[in-house]
Amino acid sequence: YALYPHLSVYDNMAFGLKLRKLPKAEIRKNVQEAARILGLEELLQRKPKELSGGQRQRVALGRAIVRKPKVFLMDEPLSNLDAQLRTQMRIEIAKLHKNLQTTFVYVTHDQTEAMTMGTRIVVMKDGLIQQIDSPQAIYDHPVNMFVAGFLGSPGMNFLDVLIIEEKGCIFAQLADALLPVPAAGGQRLKEQGYLGRKMVLGIRAEHLWGSGDILDRHSECALDGRLEFSELRGAETYHYVRIAGREVVVRVSPELPAAIGQEVRVGFKMAKAHFFDQESGVNI
């Protein structure tokens, strides 16, 4: 956090203001205001070695706050914190942003941080902007496979399919199975010349069904697979199922257990499916 180990919390936060030769009364006022915002009022006389990682992080933030900048630039500020502290600091920085009503430019490789903290996300790859939008809009409508795979935990499932037409309906053929494409999406694929061509079908774990009444009502959108691994996460379970030679992640209720190696049936919520061009990766 680049804190001076021989200076107190107060002096660390006041250092930049002293360099600017501001009056002592103004320095004291700015530091105390920042300490109040960050909950550091009881720690102002301590040295950095007496602080926890999260407290040191708050001091570093306070050092920036006292200068009252128009824009905060944060480059992966939570990367060296443990998981629990990272969650706590995410909440504190989000509250800070709301209280200060100031622009934060926050760089991160952690998509959870981006989704939970950002009001606008800029997704970049190799120095090029891929998409700019709100977190929910990017999650629901990714412009290409890179964005679709990067945002979301677990990442979006990708399956190679062949687009065909039978009896006036458009289907995505996966191995020997046919998945019906919703009318609007099918018409769009047809108009753009994708009939008879291979594409990548993308679908998120929450848009796949593991069992239950939904499968019975939508049996035309279900495929057989083999369960290879289960990951219990408390309120939900992720099943890793091999379908047509590819592994997909299915989010199910913990009350629906299955044994490793068991044959399972997986339903596809095709209204939520995405179709990507195989070469460009663009969402059609």
Side-chain angles (χ1 to χ4, degrees):
Y1 312 108
L3 300 179
Y4 295 107
H6 62 291
L7 297 181
S8 67
V9 168
Y10 180 94
D11 289 331
N12 265 285
M13 292 171 66
F15 188 81
L17 302 182
K18 290 179 179 177
L19 288 181
R20 294 181 177 185
K21 302 188 185 305
L22 294 182
K24 286 186 177 181
E26 185 176 347
I27 292 174
R28 186 180 306 108
K29 177 185 174 184
N30 289 353
V31 170
Q32 288 177 343
E33 182 182 356
R36 178 185 58 78
I37 291 172
L38 294 167
L40 295 171
E41 293 168 294
E42 305 298 321
L43 307 176
L44 288 176
Q45 300 311 314
R46 293 191 187 183
K47 298 287 177 63
K49 66 180 180 181
E50 302 174 82
L51 305 177
S52 67
Q55 289 169 338
R56 292 179 195 175
Q57 185 71 279
R58 294 208 299 274
V59 175
L61 285 171
R63 190 173 49 192
I65 291 171
V66 295
R67 297 170 60 190
K68 298 184 178 178
K70 293 181 180 178
V71 179
F72 287 87
L73 305 179
M74 298 188 179
D75 187 2
E76 302 202 56
L78 310 183
S79 59
N80 58 342
L81 301 180
D82 61 55
Q84 185 174 359
L85 192 53
R86 208 159 48 233
T87 300
Q88 178 187 336
M89 287 304 301
R90 277 208 313 264
I91 296 170
E92 292 197 20
I93 292 175
K95 288 180 179 177
L96 184 63
H97 172 254
K98 185 176 181 180
N99 291 337
L100 295 178
Q101 295 291 298
T102 306
T103 297
F104 282 45
V105 179
Y106 189 106
V107 181
T108 180
H109 286 86
D110 186 328
Q111 52 90 17
T112 301
E113 285 181 18
M115 288 287 293
T116 56
M117 299 173 67
T119 53
R120 300 280 289 178
I121 295 179
V122 180
V123 183
M124 300 186 71
K125 179 187 179 187
D126 300 329
L128 298 176
I129 293 174
Q130 305 293 306
Q131 188 170 357
I132 305 175
D133 215 325
S134 67
Q136 194 63 53
I138 291 181
Y139 185 82
D140 292 336
H141 308 287
V143 296
N144 57 36
M145 289 180 65
F146 174 78
V147 176
F150 179 70
L151 282 183
S153 180
M156 183 179 285
N157 297 296
F158 296 118
L159 296 162
D160 294 328
V161 296
L162 177 67
I163 306 301
I164 65 172
E165 183 175 20
E166 282 192 4
K167 299 178 181 179
C169 296
I170 309 299
F171 294 90
Q173 183 176 354
L174 179 60
D176 298 329
L178 297 180
L179 296 170
V181 180
Q187 185 63 29
R188 186 166 60 250
L189 295 181
K190 184 176 181 179
E191 290 174 354
Q192 297 194 32
Y194 283 97
L195 284 185
R197 291 174 58 183
K198 287 187 176 181
M199 298 191 75
V200 177
L201 183 154
I203 191 163
R204 296 200 181 276
E206 62 265 31
H207 299 142
L208 295 172
W209 304 305
S211 62
D213 296 338
I214 297 177
L215 273 183
D216 297 334
R217 295 199 304 270
H218 300 277
S219 58
E220 74 281 1
C221 298
L223 300 177
D224 293 320
R226 179 182 295 274
L227 180 62
E228 297 201 326
F229 181 69
S230 283
E231 188 177 42
L232 177 63
R233 297 198 180 186
E236 59 194 12
T237 297
Y238 289 114
H239 284 341
Y240 293 78
V241 182
R242 184 159 294 276
I243 297 175
R246 295 294 299 272
E247 188 175 80
V248 299
V249 186
V250 185
R251 190 172 75 178
V252 300
S253 167
E255 288 77 35
L256 300 172
I260 305 300
Q262 178 181 332
E263 294 293 329
V264 293
R265 197 154 175 77
V266 176
F268 286 66
K269 190 174 183 179
M270 292 301 291
K272 295 292 187 179
H274 301 266
F275 291 92
F276 301 93
D277 185 281
Q278 265 199 335
E279 294 182 6
S280 67
V282 171
N283 194 347
I284 303 303

